[in-house]
Amino acid sequence: MSSAADARIPKLCEIADDTRAALAMINVKLDSKPDQGWIINIICVIFGLVLAAIAGTAEIFTLIR
């Protein structure tokens, strides 16, 4: 290897270590957040109930005519 390549290796190792540290911090922050899947489930249930109410109302109007 050339001396230029040998000089870059420590710098690349330092960049890799910084990247690993940043990814570890992101991972810790994401792990501490609560799971928000239940919010999506509640929204879907409410949306489904609203659609069912609209369909029921439309059926009643159809039966009246």
Side-chain angles (χ1 to χ4, degrees):
M1 271 200 256
S2 68
S3 62
D6 290 338
R8 284 186 231 156
I9 290 174
K11 182 67 175 169
L12 290 174
C13 289
E14 182 181 331
I15 292 171
D17 290 340
D18 290 344
T19 304
R20 282 189 203 102
L23 289 174
M25 285 184 3
I26 291 171
N27 193 24
V28 167
K29 286 186 179 194
L30 289 176
D31 284 343
S32 66
K33 300 244 182 229
D35 181 30
Q36 296 178 354
W38 64 274
I39 296 172
I40 295 171
N41 287 339
I42 290 175
I43 291 171
C44 289
V45 166
I46 292 171
F47 187 67
L49 290 173
V50 168
L51 288 178
I54 291 170
T57 305
E59 185 176 344
I60 289 171
F61 283 138
T62 303
L63 290 175
I64 291 174
R65 290 183 186 178

